[in-house]
Amino acid sequence: MVRRALLALAVVAATVFQSGVQAAEQPVRLYVLDGGVLESDPGRYRLKPEEVETTQLSIASFLIVHPKGTLMWDTGAISDETWTPGRRAQARHLVLSNNADRYVTLAKSLTGQLKEIGYQPADINYLALSHYHWDHVANANAFAKSTWLVRKVERDAMFPQPTAEPPQPSNFASLMNAKTTLITTDDYDVFGDGTVVIKASTGHTPGHSVLYVKLAKTGGVVLAGDLYHYPEERTLNRLPIADFDQAQTGRSREVLDGFLKQTSSQLWIQHDLVAHRKLKKAPAYYD
Ligand SMILES: [Zn+2]
């Protein structure tokens, strides 16, 4: 009888211990948010139309949910404030500040996708942008209550006056007064345990970054920002024509290749439409 009671006690103790361990090791989640399809010209990346599988590019943003907080990575190409999602995907026409035309077709708003997984922009602890170009910052203002993690050189390119390439400055204007952490190291470990690391990968813009996420089941994933646009830039070794510093982009690619190899990580090219279409989208997630 005593033995049975002891056994029951041991089972209870083991269950409590196990649930405690589970709570402490709640896996990091990576959500892919779909920002639509961008019409693009592969010539801007020294590629001929016949060299790419598709000339269109994907627009993607990502939410990382860590036991210690949440991080939004990039915020799309179309501001949620400028359209209302309906049953069908909608084509949006933008005229950038350099008068270039851009066309994006999208079905869901960024905040709508966050809502589906139980978050509002105001709930998000940290915002990081791969860089400040228009197709990554459209909803940045919505995250002005988050802590913005940014390299000083990149922030200096944004404020007080954007320095180059077609930005839509009004879409990130609210970040000027957001709570800001200036990143001073090449690697910035967001939650202090090595699972979510912003990595310098400069060249496309002065402070361009990529994001490493170490997932328990999926393994390491690097979100490439605009280090590449088309996957064929990687396979055919082509550099974009309009980067802030092309030679630096080449060096950043080499450094990242070493890291990918060393950590056996996957590279997710955010603009790679073919790969993007195969990814699970929120509310599904990678862990
Ligand atoms: Zn881009």
Side-chain angles (χ1 to χ4, degrees), residues 131 135-136 226 229 271:
H131 63 300
D135 55 316
H136 298 257
D226 278 9
H229 299 73
H271 282 305

Side-chain angles (χ1 to χ4, degrees), residues 89-167:
Q90 296 176 42
R92 311 294 304 169
H93 172 216
L94 279 100
V95 182
L96 302 180
S97 50
N98 65 355
N99 288 324
D101 292 298
R102 292 288 185 271
Y103 298 89
V104 178
T105 304
L106 76 175
K108 289 182 169 186
S109 68
L110 182 67
T111 43
Q113 291 175 78
L114 284 176
K115 200 174 171 188
E116 268 186 72
I117 47 179
Y119 291 94
Q120 291 182 17
D123 302 330
I124 305 302
N125 302 110
Y126 300 102
L127 169 70
L129 304 165
S130 58
H131 63 300
Y132 73 96
H133 287 167
W134 71 277
D135 55 316
H136 298 257
V137 302
N139 291 289
N141 286 341
F143 299 90
K145 290 204 172 78
S146 311
T147 297
W148 183 29
L149 309 174
V150 61
R151 291 178 202 285
K152 187 175 184 300
V153 281
E154 191 75 0
R155 193 185 184 284
D156 288 348
M158 298 166 75
F159 299 116
Q161 197 71 45
T163 50
E165 247 291 302

Side-chain angles (χ1 to χ4, degrees), residues 154-182:
E154 191 75 0
R155 193 185 184 284
D156 288 348
M158 298 166 75
F159 299 116
Q161 197 71 45
T163 50
E165 247 291 302
Q168 294 296 77
S170 59
N171 283 344
F172 58 70
S174 300
L175 296 184
M176 192 158 98
N177 299 313
K179 191 177 164 196
T180 301
T181 297
L182 288 178

